[in-house]
Amino acid sequence: GLATQLVICLFFLASASSLYRQLRFMNDTDLGIDIEHIVELQVNTFDKNGMNMLAEIRQLPMVEKHTTTSQWLVSKEGLYTNSIYEWRGKTEEDQKLTFANIELTKDADLIFNFRLKEGRAFTEDDWTGAGNPKDFLTGRPVLNKVLVSESAVQAMRLEHPIGEIIRVPLEILGRDPIWTDYEIVGVIRDFHTQGMKAEPLPTLIFQSFRFALSKNYYQVTPGTEEEFIKAIDHLAKKHEWNPEDSMNKAPQLLSDKMKNLNKSETATFRLFAILTMLCVLISLFGIFAISSTTIVQRRKEIAIRKVMGATAREVVELFFREYSWLVSVSAVVAFPFFYWVVSRWLEQYPYRVSVGAGMYVVLSGITILMVLLTVFRQVMRAANENPADVVKSE
């Protein structure tokens, strides 16, 4: 019974520890983009009330930078993908490749701080389009620079990507597609739009100049996030803007949105943490009860050992060795089962913590310490009893 309790206790301790480590890893690992102090908001660009509200939001004192994007940068579904791009050296086999893509406006690369690996980020001149031809749809200069992720470079097999051209077609109903050439100016590290639950796809980041973008991102002064969201709520009432409209979306902290992607892992860990605490408490109470009975039954043995010259310290060490050995044997039994269960659970994540014996050794040591502290008082009392009194009572 005692060994079984210890096996269960060790299993839950190790499982809860592994869940915690995986959750910490998912929450703390660099995602390749900045998400702190950033608020996202979607407003219907055809709604005059919404547009008036956006104009006032940009004037709020806590706003440091503002940008718009074609897609949500963080979402459970990830970025949209397609395979319409052309580049030098593309083969028939490459037609199967799909790339995630996102368009953004000025300051987005400053707000999200894409991790530059090679080349440069967008510059002020890139956003003016100085010297570029006029776009036939908008009449504005074409903005034709692009950032590509390192996995996109690998997928396109570009040895020297900076300066290479990516061609993108614009489909116009009833006519041949019109191609726009985009020059690669920088290579960025892969970033995780779905958190650490999915591998990032090869990604292309374009400057937007043709179409209105409704996904708004605001970088605010640290510490003013809640104040900023309250200010938006106040302006929403003022302009009678409805966040429940299908083309609108209420403001939300990007960091909170990312944490919500890990909500199931957080709930699982909390459940295991509660079960582990209950299991540990039940095990320690059981050890206390069993050890009390065992020590009472062995009073005569202890007395004889002391008569034969054993000291109280030696008696204590004897019992401690026995309990330590029991925990060690229980750990050997529990570890293979724990390793199999947790390894299977971790397989669902492309990025995961390792399950090593070192952690289990530490937890076994902690368990031994808890057991010894539980039985310490009883063992000390038995070891310090007068042998003569024990013999008389027997």
Side-chain angles (χ1 to χ4, degrees):
L2 181 57
T4 302
Q5 289 183 358
L6 287 172
V7 169
I8 296 173
C9 178
L10 283 163
F11 171 79
F12 274 95
L13 273 174
S15 299
S17 177
S18 296
L19 287 171
Y20 175 73
R21 289 175 61 229
Q22 178 65 19
L23 186 59
R24 280 286 303 272
F25 172 76
M26 294 171 66
N27 286 333
D28 297 345
T29 299
D30 181 18
L31 300 171
I33 53 173
D34 288 353
I35 60 174
E36 298 296 330
H37 321 303
I38 300 173
V39 177
E40 66 176 25
L41 170 71
Q42 179 169 312
V43 173
N44 182 358
T45 53
F46 299 103
D47 184 343
K48 183 178 180 181
N49 287 352
M51 295 304 292
N52 291 338
M53 184 182 75
L54 283 177
E56 288 198 47
I57 291 175
R58 285 194 288 269
Q59 301 304 314
L60 291 172
M62 63 283 287
V63 174
E64 296 183 351
K65 294 183 181 67
H66 167 253
T67 192
T68 56
T69 64
S70 58
Q71 303 181 51
W72 295 121
L73 204 65
V74 171
S75 70
K76 185 178 181 180
E77 296 77 20
L79 300 175
Y80 303 143
T81 62
N82 60 53
S83 56
I84 62 176
Y85 310 109
E86 300 288 336
W87 64 89
R88 186 169 60 86
K90 184 177 181 180
T91 65
E92 188 67 26
E93 187 67 21
D94 292 334
Q95 299 291 341
K96 302 175 183 178
L97 292 174
T98 58
F99 295 82
N101 64 89
I102 185 168
E103 295 181 31
L104 44 77
T105 54
K106 191 176 179 181
D107 284 343
D109 50 334
L110 299 178
I111 292 175
F112 301 121
N113 187 26
F114 300 111
R115 314 302 192 243
L116 196 64
K117 184 178 179 182
E118 183 180 351
R120 62 174 177 81
F122 297 133
T123 65
E124 189 70 31
D125 288 341
D126 293 335
W127 291 106
T128 63
N132 288 353
K134 296 292 181 66
D135 176 56
F136 77 100
L137 278 179
T138 65
R140 293 178 293 178
V142 172
L143 303 181
N144 59 351
K145 301 297 188 289
V146 61
L147 301 175
V148 299
S149 69
E150 53 188 331
S151 58
V153 171
Q154 294 170 3
M156 292 186 284
R157 301 184 308 281
L158 300 176
E159 292 185 12
H160 305 287
I162 305 303
E164 290 282 354
I165 300 298
I166 296 176
R167 305 192 73 208
V168 183
L170 176 65
E171 300 286 347
I172 303 296
L173 189 63
R175 58 188 292 183
D176 293 333
I178 297 174
W179 293 83
T180 300
D181 291 350
Y182 288 83
E183 178 190 356
I184 298 176
V185 296
V187 178
I188 61 172
R189 297 194 180 279
D190 290 330
F191 58 95
H192 301 266
T193 61
Q194 297 170 275
M196 304 305 293
K197 288 188 175 183
E199 294 187 31
L201 292 171
T203 304
L204 311 177
I205 300 178
F206 296 99
Q207 294 178 281
S208 177
F209 66 96
R210 278 195 173 118
F211 306 111
L213 306 180
S214 60
K215 275 69 173 176
N216 291 271
Y217 286 91
Y218 300 89
Q219 185 181 67
V220 299
T221 303
T224 65
E225 293 87 352
E226 297 302 323
E227 180 186 353
F228 178 63
I229 291 176
K230 288 180 180 178
I232 292 177
D233 293 339
H234 174 75
L235 290 174
K237 293 176 182 178
K238 173 183 175 181
H239 293 280
E240 298 181 349
W241 176 77
N242 180 17
E244 302 300 325
D245 185 278
S246 60
M247 297 186 69
N248 295 329
K249 185 177 179 182
Q252 182 179 12
L253 275 168
L254 200 56
S255 55
D256 287 347
K257 190 176 183 181
M258 183 61 76
K259 289 178 181 177
N260 285 337
L261 294 181
N262 301 329
K263 186 179 289 186
S264 61
E265 285 74 17
T266 302
T268 302
F269 166 70
R270 287 175 178 170
L271 175 62
F272 257 82
I274 293 171
L275 291 174
T276 300
M277 285 189 290
L278 290 174
C279 184
V280 169
L281 288 174
I282 291 171
S283 297
L284 293 179
F285 279 123
I287 291 168
F288 182 85
I290 293 173
S291 63
S292 297
T293 303
T294 302
I295 291 171
V296 168
Q297 292 173 347
R298 297 177 64 180
R299 289 178 67 212
K300 188 173 182 179
E301 175 194 339
I302 296 171
I304 293 173
R305 287 180 179 275
K306 295 191 70 175
V307 169
M308 298 298 293
T311 63
R313 179 178 178 180
E314 289 172 339
V315 172
V316 171
E317 290 176 352
L318 171 67
F319 277 90
F320 278 10
R321 280 197 301 270
E322 291 179 2
Y323 282 108
S324 298
W325 175 251
L326 182 61
V327 174
S328 300
V329 172
S330 300
V332 171
V333 174
F335 181 70
F337 181 59
F338 151 75
Y339 183 82
W340 181 79
V341 171
V342 174
S343 296
R344 286 293 185 90
W345 178 75
L346 288 173
E347 284 177 0
Q348 66 182 301
Y349 302 102
Y351 302 95
R352 50 187 177 266
V353 296
S354 59
V355 180
M359 178 194 71
Y360 207 69
V361 170
V362 172
L363 291 175
S364 298
I366 293 173
T367 304
I368 290 173
L369 181 61
M370 288 191 298
V371 170
L372 296 184
L373 289 175
T374 301
V375 302
F376 178 76
R377 186 176 178 182
Q378 301 169 81
V379 172
M380 285 296 296
R381 186 188 305 122
N384 288 315
E385 274 190 304
N386 189 323
D389 294 338
V390 173
V391 172
K392 287 180 183 178
S393 65
E394 292 291 333

